[in-house]
Amino acid sequence: MFLTPFLAETRHLLRLCGPILVAQVAQTTMSFVDTVMAGQISATDMAAVAVATSFWLPIILLVQGVVMALTPIISQLNGARRHQEVAGAVHQGFWLTLLVMLPAWLALYFSPMVLHWMEVEPLLAEKTTGYLHGILWGMPAYALYQVLRNFSEGLSHTRPTMVIGFIGLAVNVPANYILIHGKLGLPRLGGVGCGYASALVFWAMLIAMVVYTQRSALLNRFGVFTALVAPDMARIGRIFRLGFPIAMAIFCEVTLFTVVALLLAPLGADVVAGHQIAINFSSLIFMLPLSLGMALTIRVGHSLGEGLAEQARMASMAGIGFGALLAIATALATALSRHWISGIYTDNGYVLELAASLLLLASLYQISDSVQVITAAALRGYKDTQVIFYITLVAYWLCGLPVGMVLGLTNWLVPAMGPHGFWLGFLVGLTIAACLLIWRLRTIYERVHHRDNAGLPLVDGL
């Protein structure tokens, strides 16, 4: 009896997940392209892209995380057939995005000051600053695109995200080439050109999503662009209270990797480049459980909106189980092909060997990473987001990072391991997070089960 609904939910999740996965891979491939094309100029240009990404990615994901609250809100409204409330939720998402964008933009603009405090070599600092000031111009477009993306995905309509991801990739490659190498009469910017190219990509994706939303029969019937609803601070506040813990949880995880990149920067461009290769490829693999998790949030939210508590629980179990099996396969593949993978990025012998050894450690944490991100996605479907933040804060910052610093930079337990010590810290933090999130999900199962047995509604309004 258990296996049949488990397999049925797995198939449903895979149908939702497929387009999301392709879109996420396309988006991550842009970072891969940036790294490879910048690396063809010099190791310093590659390192500049790595360090710049350590600044802009956490900040833009902080904004994106707040907007991600729209996915469970819209999926629950859709499941409950409260379609007349969807456009209002999207509009309040737009207003919220504008409110959080200004401080995010300012934070990114002034973030390169940290490089001077850390005494990063001048050329690396200069290229990193140029990249950041280039990508700044695309931040508003990226944030507004995420609102429309979450609107579409909340309705279980994930294919537009896939198509637009390819549009972004199609713009990224030629834009990189032109700006990096100074074609069409433009100055030769090297790795800095990747930042300006990314800004162009974000605007292209926003324009494409606006056009699709207007022309799609499924999306246009909700009237998102028919009449803009005025800001409602009470509703904006409710979205923010749901989305802010999501954003902070993402921020805590991403900044774990960000801080490590900054701590490694004084060790030289080659060390940062090797670390970046391992991070970049791990990010590609991470798209598998991340996409499955996004699909799971939609499925759980829709099931709760329909009042189907057991279906939501089964979907969560299917997502976590399938994700763990998939992670075992990717871990083995990464470990066995780590030297070949490193060789795609660079022909620098030292950087290649360092990256290959880090990829071996990366293969070890893929199971924990998969379980934690999928479990957190299930909790988002239940609109249980505050605990996710607390767990990630403890696991990553109070456990993972201190372990990494002790192993990587000190001789307290073993001779300083450099980047390898930090990657062992990643493994510790992700494993603790996975265990605590599973415990929380079991608690939520019991709470929703009691509400269902008592005849109480499983979801609330916006």
Side-chain angles (χ1 to χ4, degrees), residues 222-416:
F222 288 93
V224 169
F225 295 129
T226 301
L228 185 63
V229 175
D232 183 332
M233 295 311 298
R235 299 178 76 189
I236 290 174
R238 286 195 289 272
I239 299 175
F240 181 80
R241 285 191 295 273
L242 180 61
F244 185 71
I246 299 174
M248 290 305 298
I250 295 172
F251 185 80
C252 283
E253 180 174 359
V254 173
T255 49
L256 176 66
F257 297 92
T258 299
V259 168
V260 169
L262 293 175
L263 291 173
L264 291 175
L267 300 182
D270 284 349
V271 172
V272 176
H275 171 77
Q276 172 64 11
I277 289 171
I279 286 289
N280 189 262
F281 182 77
S282 297
S283 298
L284 284 173
I285 298 298
F286 181 68
M287 292 304 101
L288 293 169
L290 178 63
S291 302
L292 186 60
M294 290 179 171
L296 183 57
T297 298
I298 298 167
R299 182 61 174 167
V300 169
H302 193 277
S303 297
L304 293 174
E306 290 184 304
L308 303 175
E310 181 58 27
Q311 181 173 281
R313 186 182 74 89
M314 185 58 65
S316 300
M317 294 173 63
I320 295 169
F322 182 78
L325 292 174
L326 189 62
I328 293 172
T330 59
L332 289 172
T334 301
L336 293 174
S337 58
R338 61 189 185 277
H339 286 94
W340 176 79
I341 293 167
S342 301
I344 297 175
Y345 290 85
T346 183
D347 57 2
N348 181 310
Y350 175 79
V351 174
L352 190 153
E353 288 300 322
L354 175 60
S357 62
L358 293 177
L359 282 172
L360 184 59
L361 293 175
S363 67
L364 296 177
Y365 78 42
Q366 286 180 15
I367 297 173
S368 296
D369 202 13
S370 178
V371 171
Q372 67 87 18
V373 72
I374 295 173
T375 307
L379 289 169
R380 288 199 299 270
Y382 283 97
K383 290 186 179 178
D384 184 60
T385 60
Q386 286 192 357
V387 173
I388 300 175
F389 167 52
Y390 300 143
I391 288 174
T392 52
L393 178 63
V394 170
Y396 301 151
W397 283 90
L398 300 185
C399 298
L401 183 60
V403 168
M405 293 181 68
V406 168
L407 295 177
L409 301 179
T410 75
N411 298 318
W412 294 353
L413 301 179
V414 295

Side-chain angles (χ1 to χ4, degrees), residues 39-54:
Q40 292 172 350
I41 302 298
S42 71
T44 301
D45 284 87
M46 179 189 286
V49 172
V51 176
T53 301
S54 299

Side-chain angles (χ1 to χ4, degrees), residues 69-149:
L70 287 175
T71 299
I73 288 172
I74 291 173
S75 61
Q76 288 188 9
L77 291 175
N78 188 41
R81 303 295 189 268
R82 291 156 60 180
H83 297 149
Q84 72 281 0
E85 300 178 42
V86 169
V90 175
H91 293 160
Q92 302 311 318
F94 279 130
W95 294 120
L96 176 59
T97 299
L98 295 177
L99 287 174
V100 300
M101 179 52 59
L102 180 58
W105 197 94
L106 291 173
L108 186 58
Y109 182 82
F110 290 106
S111 61
M113 295 173 63
V114 177
L115 298 173
H116 301 287
W117 297 338
M118 296 187 65
E119 299 182 350
V120 175
E121 57 185 77
L123 182 59
L124 177 58
E126 179 186 347
K127 289 180 177 291
T128 301
T129 302
Y131 180 105
L132 290 172
H133 288 173
I135 204 169
L136 269 173
W137 298 104
M139 279 186 63
Y142 184 84
L144 293 172
Y145 164 75
Q146 292 300 325
V147 175
L148 293 177
R149 172 182 175 171

Side-chain angles (χ1 to χ4, degrees), residues 188-207:
R188 187 175 186 269
L189 298 178
V192 172
C194 296
Y196 288 94
S198 295
L200 291 174
V201 168
F202 296 156
W203 281 106
M205 293 172 68
L206 173 62
I207 292 169

Side-chain angles (χ1 to χ4, degrees), residues 430-450:
L430 290 167
T431 302
I432 292 173
C435 294
L436 292 176
L437 288 167
I438 288 175
W439 166 79
R440 177 61 180 180
L441 186 58
R442 288 175 60 87
T443 302
I444 294 299
Y445 286 160
E446 296 173 2
R447 183 180 302 174
V448 172
H449 179 71
H450 289 319

Side-chain angles (χ1 to χ4, degrees), residues 13-23 145 149 152-164 209 212 218-219 291 294-295 298:
L13 286 172
L14 291 177
R15 284 195 296 270
L16 282 174
C17 170
I20 297 175
L21 172 60
V22 174
Y145 164 75
R149 172 182 175 171
S152 179
E153 291 181 355
L155 298 172
S156 301
H157 192 46
T158 57
R159 189 166 297 176
T161 305
M162 176 182 69
V163 175
I164 292 171
M209 193 66 195
Y212 183 87
L218 174 63
L219 300 183
S291 302
M294 290 179 171
I298 298 167

